[in-house]
Amino acid sequence: MKGMVFVELLQMAEELLGEDVVDDVLDRCDLSTGGAYNAVGNYPCSELMTLVQAFSSHVGTPVPELQRRFGHWMHARFVKSYPGFFTDKPDALSMFESIEDEVHVEVRKLYPDVELPRFETERIADQALRLTYRSSRPLSDFCHGLVEACLDHYGQPAQVARRDLSGGGESVAEFTVRLGG
Amino acid sequence: MTDPAPPRPDPAPTVSRARYDRERRARQEAESLLEAKSRELYVVNQRLMRQAEALEQAVRDRTADLEAARAQAEAASAAKSVFLASMSHEIRTPLNGVLGMAAALGDTPLSVAQRDMLAVIIDSGDMLLSVLNDILDLSKIEAGRFELEDVPFDLAEAVRSVERMHALKAEEKGLDFGVQVRGAGWVRGDPNRLRQVLGNLVSNAIKFTERGLVRVLADLSPPDAAGGVLLRLVVADTGQGIGDDRMAQLFTPYAQGGPAVARQYGGTGLGLSIARQFCRMMGGDLTAESRPGFGSTFTATVRLAVAEAPPLAQPGAVERDFAERLRRQPLSILAAEDNGTNQLVLKGLLRRFDLRVDIVPNGRVAVEAWHRDRPDLILMDVQMPLMNGIEATQAIRRAEAEARRPRTPIIALSANAMRHQIEEYLAVGMDGNVTKPIRRAELIEAIVAVLPRPAPAARACDRPDAVCTPRAG
């Protein structure tokens, strides 16, 4: 998993809990990296899950809720670092549709060895879209947070229904997004 | 959602050893990653540069190969052209001798058997000449150097001359041979090339038709606003026809209808190819339709222009008038010709006329003889050793101008001259041109054309091209 995700998770934790708490948590976890991460490195996904679990225990927030909040945090980071992806999309649905063929194409230019989740989209109505997330990593809740943050970013009220279709070692989440009240 | 990385409240925060070590480790790891990436980038870059260099080298090599191949092909093509041109000259010169001497032989007393033999010699020579001309025509067309004539001629007469040429052969084969001319009159164009096209089509039709008929239609359209007319020549036969497989090759040079056709019927396989090229050069085309077993129809079209009919001239009258003129007024001719055979031909052609002919072997001697003998007219071969015909002409014209002597008419005797060459001859001071092999009628016509008119007042004219009106009384 890209180091950027670890760095951002720790950054978020430091904002919420302070450096001392983060250091404490890192010291208590059994990490092959010793808790040293940089944005361009690659680290085992299991360590991310360990860290999320550790912070969850520390603050008493369930893991799924923490993942969703991390999704919101990460989206804000994307908007700040890569505003170009957002300016030419009229709404969140267009943004979702562009992930696979536009955003991920750019990511692969920077990190040819990156392992990315798949995002399948299907327009089910003019203002409604079905987004299916598939990943070998159990990060459906993180994805849920990203979806919500993206809708917030465009300021459009929307309804999001989520169905878990995971199985066979793969995390699959189907989000049905309807714009409007 | 909290905004990431807001300013810290503590101005001098302390950092734990563990945090410091983690940050350093993360940094060092990033640095070694960066190094590895840099090295990888360098290697890939090097590989790309080598590849680009290899590609450029390949392009250079390929270009050089192509350049060499092109130069070789051009050299071969040029060599072929030079070979054809020189062969044509080498063949035409002796052929000129054969045909000229055969014509001269016809002026001597001969037995009937000898006369028949002579006819075969002349026919064969003419045929050889036409094959030679075909090869030359094609090489000129291929080299883009072919020049069409643009002269007035009687279209009906041109068509009839082709008919006369082939009527006997058609009759021998028992074919019903008919020629119809519609809307013909005097036109401007290239009569020889037109006769060549029609002659080729008629000759083929007769050659490949064993029974039935050969029909020729020459149809001239009414003139358009600019005086242009479209001539359509249709030659239809009831011969063996042409299969689809051969139709595709019909107009390809040297192809014929296959080797079997060449063995059975002879010919070079150039005729139709040349005929089509001529038609296209004359703004038309040549097409063929055929049903094997039922016959073929060839349609040639060419664009011509309407022309005024010139005053009538009697055939043979020129030579009779010339002989008559010589009785009243003697003529001395100086001929410069290096080739012994051609010298004999010239003498043979002029023998029947009462005039004096002095022959010299090159331009230098010709200039000397002109100074000494003051001939009435000079026949000047173009290609001669020591001094060629052009240089000799220039020398004579200069000497005339310096000594204020009257201008001596000079006629070029050229082998296979092109129009721009003839223009060059005229530009250096020659007055006419006769192309080898020399025919008596053409030679006499050229001589008469450049001589002053045979009237008492003519003596007052220095220049043969001056307009001399005979004075009354």
Side-chain angles (χ1 to χ4, degrees), chain B residues 256-269:
Chain B
Q256 284 194 326
V261 173
R263 273 196 302 277
Q264 190 182 349
Y265 296 99
T268 54

Side-chain angles (χ1 to χ4, degrees), chain A residues 11-12 14-16 19 22-23 26-27 32-38 40-41 43 69 72-73 77 112, chain B residues 1-6 8 13-16 18-19 21-23 25-31 33 37:
Chain A
Q11 191 86 48
M12 182 180 83
E14 281 172 11
E15 287 299 325
L16 296 174
E19 290 182 359
V22 170
D23 286 348
L26 287 175
D27 285 343
S32 69
T33 55
Y37 304 102
N38 66 65
V40 292
Y43 307 99
R69 292 186 70 170
H72 280 266
W73 170 278
R77 170 59 70 199
Chain B
M1 196 73 233
T2 316
D3 202 40
R8 300 285 167 88
T14 53
V15 169
S16 71
R19 172 162 285 265
D21 285 344
R22 267 197 287 273
E23 286 301 323
R25 183 173 164 183
R27 195 197 74 223
Q28 285 168 344
E29 207 190 338
E31 284 166 355
L33 267 171
K37 285 278 173 201

Side-chain angles (χ1 to χ4, degrees), chain B residues 346-367:
Chain B
L346 268 180
K347 280 185 181 162
L349 292 176
L350 295 174
R351 178 172 296 140
R352 64 165 66 166
F353 300 106
D354 181 20
L355 45 71
R356 179 179 165 180
V357 183
D358 291 310
I359 298 186
V360 294
N362 63 56
R364 189 176 294 169
V365 185
V367 175

Side-chain angles (χ1 to χ4, degrees), chain A residues 4-25:
Chain A
M4 184 196 193
V5 183
F6 291 80
V7 170
E8 290 302 324
L9 179 69
L10 295 183
Q11 191 86 48
M12 182 180 83
E14 281 172 11
E15 287 299 325
L16 296 174
L17 312 169
E19 290 182 359
D20 292 345
V21 174
V22 170
D23 286 348
D24 233 27
V25 170

Side-chain angles (χ1 to χ4, degrees), chain B residues 168-281:
Chain B
L168 184 64
K169 183 77 188 165
E171 197 183 42
E172 281 170 7
K173 290 187 79 171
L175 299 175
D176 178 359
F177 180 43
V179 177
Q180 194 193 352
V181 182
R182 270 193 223 147
W186 278 75
V187 290
R188 283 191 75 88
D190 190 329
N192 292 321
R193 299 314 168 190
L194 200 61
R195 270 196 290 263
Q196 201 173 334
V197 170
L198 184 60
N200 181 270
L201 298 181
V202 171
S203 154
N204 280 344
I206 293 171
K207 195 190 275 187
F208 295 107
T209 303
E210 293 311 320
R211 66 177 71 82
L213 45 87
V214 172
R215 287 272 181 274
V216 177
L217 169 67
D219 184 18
L220 194 66
S221 76
D224 61 22
V229 282
L230 183 73
L231 173 64
R232 204 162 57 93
L233 297 169
V234 184
V235 179
D237 65 52
T238 56
Q240 61 193 48
I242 306 150
D244 285 347
D245 52 331
R246 285 173 180 178
M247 191 60 103
Q249 292 261 301
L250 200 57
F251 296 101
T252 308
Y254 304 104
Q256 284 194 326
V261 173
R263 273 196 302 277
Q264 190 182 349
Y265 296 99
T268 54
L270 294 177
L272 281 177
S273 166
I274 292 170
R276 170 176 271 187
Q277 303 263 27
F278 282 154
C279 288
R280 290 183 176 174
M281 288 167 72

